[in-house]
Amino acid sequence: MTLAEIISKSNNIVFFGGAGVSTESGIPDFRSEDGLYRQKYDVPPEVMLSADYFYAHTEDFYRFYREKMLPLWAKPNAAHLTLARWEKEGKLSAVVTQNIDGLHQAAGSGKVFELHGSIHRNYCLRCGASYDAAFIANGKGVPHCSCGGLIKPDVVLYGEPLDGGTVEGALDAISSCDCLIVAGTSLTVYPAAGLVDYFRGKYLVLINRDKTALDSRCSLVLHGKVGEILSQL
Ligand code: NAD
């Protein structure tokens, strides 16, 4: 069966995506050839993006974060836009994403479970006041609240747990959909990657540039660019 046939037969699609969904918007992923993890740093990105590093080396964390994790110039691509259209047409019930860039919402998607949080929400650790991404991007050094407290992005850093309510919503959506499209993810970041195991529906579709451990379990595997593929539907 082709992807177009699967989509036409499905009325409760859930999309589970990762960094590869935003590479066609110009945001590098982590593990591809040209991904962030293949670049050379004195401290590896996975260490710099950990909670321990945030608290112990806050200034260095923010230098890296501003340079690499705040692509406020990025625009939704064909993948984001197609998913938003499917939601409006009543075909897609939710997007579950590991991305933190907010591009699904920018494309018009309403039901988005952001497993790893969002760069667009930032909170004062002392008084809870919220700040947008522009406040962080335009500031210098360590961002502080007007109360003097340290501001932290609402992004799940390595070593931090996922938000319980977000995981619950994502699990509900995945375990009750008839078609799960997994795309643009190496499926190596846990516990997020484990959520696809809760799928009980009919069509499991994988769209990814590289092979993944899920390929052998799928009804359909397409090795290519997710934006290009979804733009044809
Ligand atoms: P990953 O970097 O581990 O893997 C990305 C996967 O996407 C690779 O398998 C690659 O082959 C595939 N890919 C790249 N471009 C593609 C395209 N155009 N079409 C189809 N497939 C494509 O990413 P991950 O599994 O999401 O794990 C990385 C973690 O880093 C996640 O937690 C994510 O939150 C975070 N991250 C987020 C962003 C973002 O918000 N845009 C960017 C980088 C990393």
Side-chain angles (χ1 to χ4, degrees):
M1 205 179 287
T2 65
L3 181 57
E5 285 164 342
I6 291 176
I7 301 303
S8 77
K9 285 183 189 302
S10 307
N11 288 308
N12 182 0
I13 301 168
V14 168
F15 182 90
F16 179 95
V21 175
S22 292
T23 54
E24 287 161 89
S25 293
I27 305 175
D29 63 11
F30 278 177
R31 292 175 186 79
S32 291
E33 284 284 292
D34 49 356
L36 205 54
Y37 284 9
R38 305 286 176 103
Q39 298 169 23
K40 286 273 167 275
Y41 293 99
D42 292 342
V43 181
E46 55 270 51
V47 172
M48 266 192 276
L49 294 172
S50 67
D52 285 349
Y53 197 82
F54 174 81
Y55 291 107
H57 305 276
T58 315
E59 198 164 345
D60 291 339
F61 169 91
Y62 268 112
R63 192 174 306 124
F64 177 81
Y65 182 81
R66 280 199 185 91
E67 199 181 311
K68 298 290 180 188
M69 307 301 292
L70 277 177
L72 300 186
W73 41 263
K75 299 268 181 294
N77 63 51
H80 303 104
L81 295 168
T82 305
L83 297 170
R85 171 165 56 82
W86 286 351
E87 183 182 330
K88 287 194 180 65
E89 291 170 358
K91 290 193 82 60
L92 180 134
S93 44
V95 169
V96 178
T97 183
Q98 300 167 82
N99 292 348
I100 56 177
D101 55 35
L103 289 183
H104 287 292
Q105 289 91 335
S109 285
K111 194 82 172 285
V112 183
F113 295 103
E114 295 174 308
L115 296 172
H116 294 155
S118 173
I119 57 171
H120 296 283
R121 297 184 299 266
N122 302 275
Y123 294 108
C124 169
L125 292 175
R126 187 188 289 171
C127 74
S130 59
Y131 291 86
D132 64 11
F135 179 85
I136 306 295
N138 298 332
K140 293 235 178 320
V142 176
H144 284 98
C145 179
S146 48
C147 82
L150 171 63
I151 296 173
K152 182 179 177 294
D154 188 16
V155 164
V156 179
L157 299 174
Y158 287 104
E160 290 183 323
L162 306 191
D163 174 69
T166 307
V167 171
E168 210 173 295
L171 275 180
D172 273 358
I174 289 171
S175 58
S176 61
C177 64
D178 56 2
C179 170
L180 180 66
I181 303 177
V182 178
T185 173
S186 61
L187 290 169
T188 52
V189 178
Y190 280 82
L195 298 191
V196 300
D197 293 338
Y198 289 82
F199 175 64
R200 300 280 173 272
K202 216 163 170 188
Y203 306 112
L204 181 57
V205 176
L206 188 115
I207 307 173
N208 209 57
R209 224 172 43 196
D210 299 308
K211 287 188 180 145
T212 76
L214 195 68
D215 290 22
S216 58
R217 286 165 45 197
C218 292
S219 334
L220 179 69
V221 176
L222 298 170
H223 285 138
K225 291 186 172 181
V226 59
E228 268 178 31
I229 290 169
L230 294 191
S231 71
Q232 291 158 25
L233 295 167

